[in-house]
Amino acid sequence: MTHWLIAPILIPLLGGILQVFMGYAPISLRRTLAIATTVLILVSAAVLLAIASDGNYRIYAFGNWQPPFGIVLVLDRLAALMLVLTAVLGLFCHIYASGGADEGNRQFHGLFLFQLMGLNIAFLTGDLFNLFVAFEVLLIASYGLLMHGGGTTRTVPGLHYVVLNLAGSALFLISVGMIYSVTGTLNMADLAVKIPQVTGSNLNLVKAGGMMLLVVFGLKAAILPLCFWLPKAYARATAPVAALFAVMTKVGVYAIIRVYPLIFGEGAGELANLGMDWLFPLALVTLSMGVIGALGAGNLKTLVAWQVIISVGTLLAPIALGSVAGLSAALFYLVSTTWTVAALFLVSELVANQRGTAADSIVTAPKMRHRTFLSVLFLIGAVAAAGLPPLSGFFGKLLILQSVEPGAEMAWLWGVLLVGGFLTLIAYSRAGSIVFWWNVDGHLETPEPMNNRVAVSTGILTCLTMLIVVFAGPLSDYTRATAEQLYDNRGYINILQTPMHVPPNTLVGR
Amino acid sequence: MSPFAEYAISALLLFGGAFTLIGAFGLARLPDFYTRLHGPTKATTVGVGAIMLSSVIYFSAIGEGIGISEILITVFLLMTAPVSANMLAKAAMHIGVKAMEGTEGKPWEQ
Amino acid sequence: MFDRLSFPQPWLSLILFLTWQILSDGVSGGSVVLGVILAWLIPQMTQGFWPERPAFVKTWRMPGYILRVLKDIVAASFSVAWLILSPRTPRPAFVSYPLQLDHPLAISILASTISLTPGTVSADVSDDNKTLLIHVLDATSDQEVIEAIYNSYEKPLMEMFR
Amino acid sequence: MSLPLVVLLPFLGAIAAPLFAQGGRTAIAIASSVPALIALAALFPHWAVLSAGDTVLHTYEWLPALGLSFSFRLDGLALLFALLILVIGLLVIIYSHYYLKAKENVAKFYSLLLCFKGSMLGIVLSGNLLLMLIFWELTSLTSFLLISFWTHKQDARRGARMALAITGGGGLALLAGILLIGNIVGSFELDDVLAASEQIKAHTLYPVALTLVLLGAFTKSAQFPFHFWLPHAMQAPTPISAYLHSATMVKAGIFLMARLYPALAGTEQWFYMVSFTGMATLLLGAYIAMFKHDLKGLLAYSTVSHLGLITLLLGMGTQLAAVAAIFHVINHATFKASLFMAAGIIDHETGTRDMRRINGLWRYMPHTATLAMVAASSMAGVPLLNGFLSKEMFFAESLQLNLPGLWAWVPPIIATLAGIFSVAYSARFVHDVFFNGKPVDLPIFPPHEPPRYMKFPVEILVFACIMVGVFPAVSVGPLLFSAASATLGGDVPDYQLAILHGFNLPLLMSFLAFFGGLLMYTQRRRFFDFHAQLREVDGKAVFEFAVSEIEKLAHRFTEWLENGSLQRYATLLVVSVIAVAAMPLAENGFHIGENGLSPVDWPTGIAAGVLVVSALATAFWHRERFYALVLLSVVGLVVALTFARFSAPDLAMTQLSVEVVTIVLLMLALYYMPSWTPMESSQGRRIRDALIALAAGTGMTLITLAMLTQPFSSISEFFLENSKPGGGGTNVVNVILVDFRGFDTLGEITVLAIAALGIYAMLKNTALTPPPGDGLGHPWTRDHYPLMLRQIARPMLPLALMVSVYIFLRGHNLPGGGFIAGLITSVALILQYIASGMIWTQDRIPFRYHNVIGLGLLFATIAGAGSLAFGYPFLTTTFGYITWPVVGKFEVASALVFDLGVYLAVIGATLLALVSIGRLSPHSAIKSKKESA
Amino acid sequence: MITIALYLTIAMVTLAALLNVYRLIKGPDEPDRVLAIDTLYINAIALIILLGITLSTRMYLESALLIAVMGFVSTVAMAKYLKRGSVIE
Amino acid sequence: MELLFALVIGALTASGVYLLLRARTFPVIMGLTLLSYGVNLFLFATGRLATGQQPVIGTAASYSDPLPQALVLTAIVIGFAMTAFLVVLSLRNLADNDNDHVDGQRRKTPPSKQEKEATGK
Ligand code: NA
Ligand code: NA
């Protein structure tokens, strides 16, 4: 057993604790330590990616208890991918935040690190109830982050976000309870063994439980009709927070990918592919709703927030089809869209900072400073988000389009995705041309210059989309292998057979 | 279990139950807030105390050893019940909860 | 916090020690050691929260007082029970009791005693700690109530506290 | 390597160009020209291979999962287009050098231009359809930026957006088409696709694929009804127009049709779709061009018309027509590029493009006029110029179409008609600009000839027009043959390139067109009057109206759905849950499990009754907030009793403690809130909500009932067996919490800690004004800290600490533990706050709650990490029994340290949260040094 | 005998709880309600003790102690809210 | 007993959901609290109902399922943390927006009952 698995959890935990103690330390020290922590998280995630890429499962049994009894972390390709994705995102958001957005709340860095910890637990855990706990950790941290900073506009959306997620948490517990009440277990591998054996009237319970769980994940992922909490909440959060939140909906998507192929997969007998026939149309409707929202958006952040919803629809549609190709494509797109959307949030705020009272509204305003720099970043982000070549969004969409077999589903998916892409393009070109080009005469009196930290972090995060294009081959190989690993749940089930440490003979009682 | 213990336990139980009930009955029946305050403060406290005592005897009698934690709870109740009553009376007088007709000396109405 | 290797509030320490023994369900070597440690440690930690030290003068009178009150509590319960059960409507009254005690703890003990004993509940202590407002469930006369309370409870308390 | 290099070079140039910005305009222009020169040199060696009828192919793997490769393929067609792109590109760079004003961002201009050039080269040189599509969309993007180069002009921005929408959107259709073709063929490699012609055409999806591909081509090449973006793209600087709208961008659609000609053409669908679209475009463009007063507008519509012509030729499906199409591509590129440049010169020198004001320029700039007149003549199809040759071929082909009956007359008539218009607008261009009296009110007057070398590119192009016109076979013969051969898949028909093919029907048509055109121009007033009567349907207006309506509609729809009402979102959530949970029930019906029901004992029944009544009453009387709060605490109490009743002492204690803290918290909040909720929802809404609530409640009842009556076994046997021997404790629940599932607990206290920190941060700078009294109008009492309460609070703290220690220590073996102990301590401290106030209490607490929280988390983490030192996983516990004199045997467990962490975290978090709210109160404006530090 | 006595006692205490709930809902004033719930807490202690006797286990004693502590704090807080509004200030 | 327990959970859920759908923060918080009581009881009940079988080794002949109890404990604590946060957030909302609506309405806080009665006269 390698202790590396616990690293992405322990590092932010210890870093976060340090921040709790250091609330009154100078901000530069807090920043340095916090960013160092994030770098370490990234390092550990990269190590785990290297470890996971051989296609074997690795487990970490807390307390050295044999699964399914204790809680285990399970490292596979998917987990490693999500870890790296999040760590990279986290690092750049963190650097951006240290450009000044972290002021005004001494616990910002602590909350940020705890958020990363919650995310990492969610990606690694192999226990359904622990997944709930992970969700709660990342949610409570996200509540704190959402309310971070001044301004009164984020309170109401924050309230909505919190209340709905609390209701979602209650639902999560009910679902877990229903599944436990039949199977008597919480370990996901064990569930994958037990669920196919469910018979008789117990089927009802598990089926309803499974469907309710899908609603929970759907709420986190922001699927229609559960997506309306998102746009305002994201649009009004401070940029680094909104950017970090780009991965939050992906956690919902991740949970669906993690749980459903594993325990309600092909082998689940009567419960096979539970809910997936519902997911497909909902995903398409979500995508459409996102596009409509983007078209009607009145400011850049709202536009990007709806882009989050577009991404979710785009991701879930191929996932619902249940093919390796579809899942692989979705994972590729997931990496691309997460970073892109995050970068767009950062760009939007930089724009807002330069335009005085007009902020990021899609209206004319005096010329901003750094217009060229920002417009190039926005262009890159918009091209990647709208899925135009040559950036990564295009390849993600291309993979998705190619993954679906001919038939009615193909017609729907292609139609919605392509028309949606077209309308998104219109939305971005309108927004970009008005904000960046349509300048009224004169300059703002004192447009604040950008500092290097925000500029560099935004720039690099934006340009990651190019990196994906360069490494599209290896990445798509990886996502394909990941999808294959996910749809063949035997390997995951085998973790139950992992031998534990031999009990020591020292003073210990066992 | 010795019959004496059994008698004691049963008697204390019934005594306690009866007083608890009377306290509640007073709460339900008495005409105004201030009179209702008396029932719980005294009868109920005593009733629960009696039940506690029966518990002490019961567990000693069945051989679980002598444990008097129940006494601790009773003492605690005796200490706190007057404070609760005091706080509530103050609140009621402050709000101006009406005393029943014929109550003499209502200082807050002066 | 742990400035002294002493027991700042010996009575409290004693009570804590006894409480620990009661909670531990029986006296054992371990519980005594731990009890002593806690009886020392906890008052050290909390002494700031109890600035007005109770000044007992005649401590030996305390058990007698407690027994008397306990007796009165039982009696009070019967009388209240009777009042509750009887169809007669009570004749309640508020009585202002002039306090002679001045120690806050003593006033508090008196007020508590009054609340636990027959037919009376302490409703309020005046801001200047000079008057106790008592609600009497079934009043005879104010003076009788005041005298009864003085003789039964306030006088003994005055002897104990100085 | 040379082919990818050809594509790559312009992009490298684009990056390099800004670097030369320091060196001035000339340096940039030279730097921008270099890639084209190198590229031309790189292409040259391939000519031998191509002239032998072979293709050059360079393939590198990229994304095999997609069927996407870096595949570059050079054949005659590609070469022809590559040369057009490179040569005209070079000329445009020279021209731009003189055209752009000093203050303009020259570096950006060249950079974008080079990007565009690279993309165009990518399109024509791609050997993989997906790769081609990438470049295709890149041209849309770069042209978007080029068209809007003058971003301060509203029309430029709009024109650019429209161009992007139409061509980019068309690109998406093309993408779908290409994917379909790829699906049919099983490869996106051009060679494979071209070889699979029969397979494609036989496939059921062929019509769909064809339509989609043609949509891409038509939008790009501005075919009817998508033609309208092109004229509005003329807001671009003229060099851009000259480049994009004569030789490159708009030719991409033509190129695509030619490229896929072998794979897709030759069917009826192709014929009808392509030729009819071409015909309509040809005529419409020619007609409108006639009436444009804007010089570039005229040229733009003429371009539309000529693109229609080429499309029509490609649509005809005959081999000769295809040859003619290719030929006309060359010719149109040369004369149109020169015309645009000439128009640019005129614009540059007169300050306007309005032909109503520009008159008689012959006097002022005879050199330019001559050049423009030659080019215009070529456009009109005057003999001895290249335009004439391809137009002749077109007329000839229009006679060859095998249409039934009278329909056979339609193509030649339309062709002639278009020819007439074409002559007319060319005549207008020449006469109206260079003659026709004197200039009217020119912004720059008098106009002069432009700088010498600004005319140079025009001269080159005009020279080419003449050369091709006079010596067609020598000048373009081999290139045309090679390109035609590539277009037709090697099967080149017999054709002759000569100045004249004798006196035949096509010549007659040319004759008709020429004189008809001149006649038409002389009678232009009538036509203008006639045209003025027509209601002009401007595609742009329709498009912009549609887009803005869609945006408005989208905005309204979004506002309507996402109305900011939590009630709606929550309703959606609840209804969704009810729906999905009801589905299995509806499918399989409801069954009580095998175990059936057990009897009820009546005290439990009554307790349950109390619980149900108080829960419903809380909902019913929720508008009386304090009352509802009291009812809520009854619910909490009975829930705790329920836990006790059903064998869960730990839960009962936890529930009790948490409930009290929650109630205190709610009261703290209620102080600032309205104490009373007005009736707000309509009766209908209340009934609806009640029904939803009823459904949810019924659902939970059924689920619980089904669950409770089913037999059950779980993994918990393991916990019961291993709790004592493995975890060292007899309280299995506690051992699960600190050991078996200690990681959950770590997460849980982290949640608690984060919540408290978040609360603290959220309230840091919040100011709330409390109401002066309760909702019934009583002012608050000034008696803050009642005597009796203060007195009882004193002994309560040490006693509660004692109890905490007791509960904490026994937790491992009996109900209790760090969490409950922590709450007891917290509640005792809360009592101090209530009894004696914030300042008094805070002064006696020598630590910051933040640090207590941190310490708690740290203890728990360290307790968990201790095992790492022994090579055991995180949170592996250990315990042992130690015997000491006097004390006797007692247990030491590492789990206890973990639990201590829990204890501290709970205290810190609970108190930090409550104190943060308490601090809001004006009475407790704590400003001690600790806080303000 | 103990069984019968226990049964009767449980009945009486349960009935007492019902009467408390009656007063709680009836009110009419807020102090009445708080008084009722305070009494309910004490009744709950009795019920817990009776449960312990019924099951012959002392497992629930600490629950009873906790109800006593929590009930007191809760009552005090509610009373303070009623007259002071601000519970912690 | 099972039916009784199910009805209790149903009542808690129904009341909770009804309050969750109200237009102001305070009832919504109370609704969520009620809902979480229901959920905790439900989660607890997944181990089935047992009398006198507390999962403390050596105190009973057989033991109820300890795992759901541990889960509920975790759930209670997390629920408490979340509720606390929500309460404070609603206070913050009150401070920022001068009202406690969650239904998208932007009215001021309503007059107190007293004021309303006074103006009604
Ligand atoms: Na003119
Ligand atoms: Na209030």
Side-chain angles (χ1 to χ4, degrees), chain D residues 724-869:
Chain D
K724 182 73 180 155
T730 53
N731 181 3
V732 187
V733 176
N734 184 271
V735 177
I736 291 176
L737 285 175
V738 297
D739 195 339
F740 294 115
R741 296 184 69 88
F743 189 56
D744 273 348
T745 309
L746 185 63
E748 158 201 324
I749 57 172
T750 311
V751 169
L752 201 56
I754 301 169
L757 297 175
I759 286 170
Y760 175 79
M762 195 158 41
L763 290 180
K764 196 72 208 289
N765 296 313
T766 302
L768 270 169
T769 319
D774 67 12
L776 292 166
H778 308 114
W780 304 121
T781 167
R782 283 169 43 240
D783 176 15
H784 308 306
Y785 314 117
L787 176 112
M788 283 184 77
L789 182 59
R790 257 183 297 152
Q791 287 304 315
I792 190 111
R794 305 285 190 255
M796 212 60 116
L797 186 61
L799 278 173
L801 280 180
M802 185 66 120
V803 172
S804 297
V805 174
Y806 168 70
I807 294 277
F808 176 81
L809 286 178
R810 79 201 285 265
H812 212 41
N813 290 310
L814 287 165
F819 187 79
I820 300 165
L823 278 176
I824 294 173
T825 306
S826 304
V827 166
L829 281 168
I830 290 171
L831 186 64
Q832 306 304 314
Y833 282 104
I834 296 176
S836 307
M838 285 279 289
I839 301 171
W840 190 92
T841 312
Q842 204 69 30
D843 280 350
R844 284 159 178 77
I845 292 175
F847 39 75
R848 282 165 40 78
Y849 291 126
H850 285 90
N851 294 341
V852 180
I853 294 174
L855 215 57
L857 289 181
L858 195 62
F859 273 28
T861 311
I862 287 173
S867 54
L868 294 178

Side-chain angles (χ1 to χ4, degrees), chain D residues 3-87:
Chain D
L3 286 186
L5 191 71
V6 169
V7 178
L8 190 64
L9 274 169
F11 288 108
L12 293 177
I15 298 168
L19 303 179
F20 287 85
Q22 299 291 329
R25 298 154 59 85
T26 318
I28 302 179
I30 292 171
S32 306
S33 313
V34 171
L37 292 170
I38 301 177
L40 279 171
L43 284 177
F44 186 71
H46 296 302
W47 174 246
V49 181
L50 297 189
S51 55
D54 287 333
T55 57
V56 183
L57 191 67
H58 294 202
T59 304
Y60 310 89
E61 199 163 84
W62 187 9
L63 252 179
L66 276 173
L68 173 59
S69 62
F70 278 118
S71 181
F72 293 94
R73 183 178 177 277
L74 183 70
D75 63 1
L77 185 65
L79 179 69
L80 169 66
F81 274 88
L83 289 178
L84 282 176
I85 294 161
L86 288 167
V87 173

Side-chain angles (χ1 to χ4, degrees), chain D residues 625 667 669-676 771 773-775 780, chain E residues 81 85:
Chain D
R625 292 183 173 180
M667 278 191 293
L670 196 53
Y671 174 42
Y672 298 97
M673 289 185 174
S675 55
W676 176 77
D774 67 12
W780 304 121
Chain E
Y81 170 80

Side-chain angles (χ1 to χ4, degrees), chain D residues 566 598 647 689 716 730 776, chain F residues 1-2 22 50 57 65 102 114:
Chain D
L566 178 64
S598 58
S647 313
D689 291 348
S716 294
T730 53
L776 292 166
Chain F
M1 200 66 94
E2 286 77 12
R22 296 304 92 208
I57 304 296
D65 191 340
V102 287
Q114 172 93 15

Side-chain angles (χ1 to χ4, degrees), chain A residues 71-426:
Chain A
I71 295 173
V72 286
L73 299 181
V74 182
L75 176 72
D76 62 354
R77 286 195 175 102
L78 177 63
L81 179 70
M82 297 305 292
L83 286 173
V84 171
L85 171 75
T86 307
V88 170
L89 177 66
L91 179 61
F92 289 112
C93 293
H94 216 149
I95 295 173
Y96 181 100
S98 70
D102 57 352
E103 287 158 13
N105 175 354
R106 296 178 184 281
Q107 292 307 326
F108 176 85
H109 293 289
L111 291 173
F112 199 97
L113 292 171
F114 285 127
Q115 165 98 69
L116 290 178
M117 172 193 169
L119 287 163
N120 292 349
I121 298 175
F123 297 142
L124 280 168
T125 190
D127 187 284
L128 200 54
F129 189 81
N130 193 246
L131 182 65
F132 164 78
V133 175
F135 272 24
E136 299 305 302
V137 172
L138 67 90
L139 280 175
I140 188 75
S142 78
Y143 302 158
L145 287 173
L146 187 64
M147 295 307 299
H148 157 76
T152 59
T153 53
R154 61 191 64 139
T155 322
V156 170
L159 199 62
H160 293 183
Y161 174 69
V162 174
V163 169
L164 287 176
N165 273 304
L166 287 189
S169 300
L171 198 58
F172 198 148
L173 286 174
I174 295 174
S175 318
V176 172
M178 286 165 82
I179 291 169
Y180 177 80
S181 78
V182 171
T183 58
T185 191
L186 295 168
N187 180 287
M188 292 190 204
D190 203 24
L191 282 170
V193 175
K194 300 242 165 86
I195 293 261
Q197 300 163 8
V198 173
T199 53
S201 49
N202 275 336
L203 273 172
N204 259 2
L205 274 175
V206 176
K207 203 180 247 180
M211 288 302 287
M212 283 155 83
L213 203 56
L214 195 59
V215 175
V216 177
F217 297 155
L219 177 71
K220 314 273 173 203
I223 306 179
L224 205 84
L226 311 172
C227 66
F228 297 112
W229 56 269
L230 186 142
K232 290 203 174 80
Y234 278 36
R236 291 175 188 176
T238 51
V241 172
L244 183 64
F245 281 14
V247 82
M248 295 279 284
T249 52
K250 312 304 184 291
V251 179
V253 176
Y254 163 82
I256 292 174
I257 302 175
R258 172 59 80 210
V259 171
Y260 286 80
L262 176 64
I263 72 178
F264 296 111
E266 287 295 336
E270 281 205 50
L271 296 162
N273 300 324
L274 181 72
M276 290 302 126
D277 43 348
W278 281 85
L279 198 58
F280 183 72
L282 281 178
L284 293 186
V285 180
T286 306
L287 205 171
S288 313
M289 183 66 227
V291 170
I292 293 172
L295 274 174
N299 58 56
L300 290 185
K301 280 187 179 176
T302 307
L303 172 62
V304 184
W306 283 104
Q307 178 67 47
V308 173
I309 290 173
I310 297 176
S311 310
V312 167
T314 312
L315 274 170
L316 285 176
I319 290 170
L321 295 179
S323 66
V324 169
L327 184 50
S328 165
L331 289 171
F332 186 100
Y333 180 76
L334 186 143
V335 176
S336 160
T337 191
T338 307
W339 288 340
T340 300
V341 166
L344 279 172
F345 273 122
L346 299 185
V347 174
S348 304
E349 180 152 294
L350 291 180
V351 168
N353 291 344
Q354 303 288 320
R355 297 201 334 147
T357 50
D360 62 337
S361 297
I362 304 175
V363 295
T364 48
K367 217 177 202 173
M368 62 187 107
R369 264 196 191 188
H370 314 292
R371 187 173 73 144
T372 310
F373 176 71
L374 290 175
S375 61
V376 167
L377 292 190
F378 182 80
L379 178 74
I380 295 173
V383 167
L388 286 185
L391 298 179
S392 59
F394 171 74
F395 295 95
K397 278 196 183 176
L398 201 56
L399 281 161
I400 290 172
L401 290 172
Q402 283 203 30
S403 71
V404 49
E405 300 290 319
E409 281 155 347
M410 182 185 199
W412 278 110
L413 182 62
W414 283 30
V416 174
L417 205 56
L418 291 172
V419 174
F422 172 63
L423 294 173
T424 318
L425 177 67
I426 289 183

Side-chain angles (χ1 to χ4, degrees), chain B residues 62-81:
Chain B
I62 62 170
E64 294 245 318
I66 296 171
I68 50 170
S69 305
E70 290 91 335
I71 302 298
L72 211 63
I73 302 174
T74 313
V75 171
F76 184 86
L77 284 178
L78 287 173
M79 279 165 66
T80 57

Side-chain angles (χ1 to χ4, degrees), chain C residues 9-155:
Chain C
Q9 289 150 287
W11 281 108
L12 179 63
S13 291
L14 182 66
I15 290 170
L16 288 177
F17 180 79
L18 290 176
T19 310
W20 184 258
Q21 302 312 319
I22 293 172
L23 282 170
S24 311
D25 274 352
V27 182
S28 68
S31 75
V32 169
V33 171
L34 209 50
V36 169
I37 294 174
L38 290 172
W40 169 75
L41 187 63
I42 291 175
Q44 289 284 350
M45 286 165 64
T46 62
Q47 55 175 313
F49 288 89
W50 201 340
E52 319 91 348
R53 291 300 144 79
F56 294 107
V57 177
K58 296 174 181 167
T59 316
W60 67 86
R61 293 198 182 215
M62 200 50 141
Y65 182 80
I66 290 174
L67 281 176
R68 174 174 201 162
V69 171
L70 280 178
K71 189 201 82 191
D72 287 352
I73 289 171
V74 177
S77 304
F78 277 103
S79 73
V80 167
W82 175 246
L83 269 168
I84 288 170
L85 293 174
S86 79
R88 183 175 70 88
T89 37
R91 292 203 327 266
F94 280 94
V95 176
S96 291
Y97 178 86
L99 281 167
Q100 296 189 29
L101 284 166
D102 56 0
H103 194 282
L105 181 62
I107 295 173
S108 205
I109 291 175
L110 176 65
S112 294
T113 311
I114 290 169
S115 289
L116 289 170
T117 47
T120 48
V121 167
S122 307
D124 201 3
V125 184
S126 67
D127 288 350
D128 56 4
N129 290 359
K130 292 269 194 283
T131 320
L132 189 62
L133 184 67
I134 298 170
H135 184 259
V136 185
L137 189 53
D138 205 26
T140 42
S141 83
D142 288 7
Q143 208 47 48
E144 267 179 49
V145 173
I146 290 170
E147 271 175 26
I149 290 173
Y150 179 78
N151 291 329
S152 315
Y153 311 120
E154 191 173 20
K155 218 166 77 182

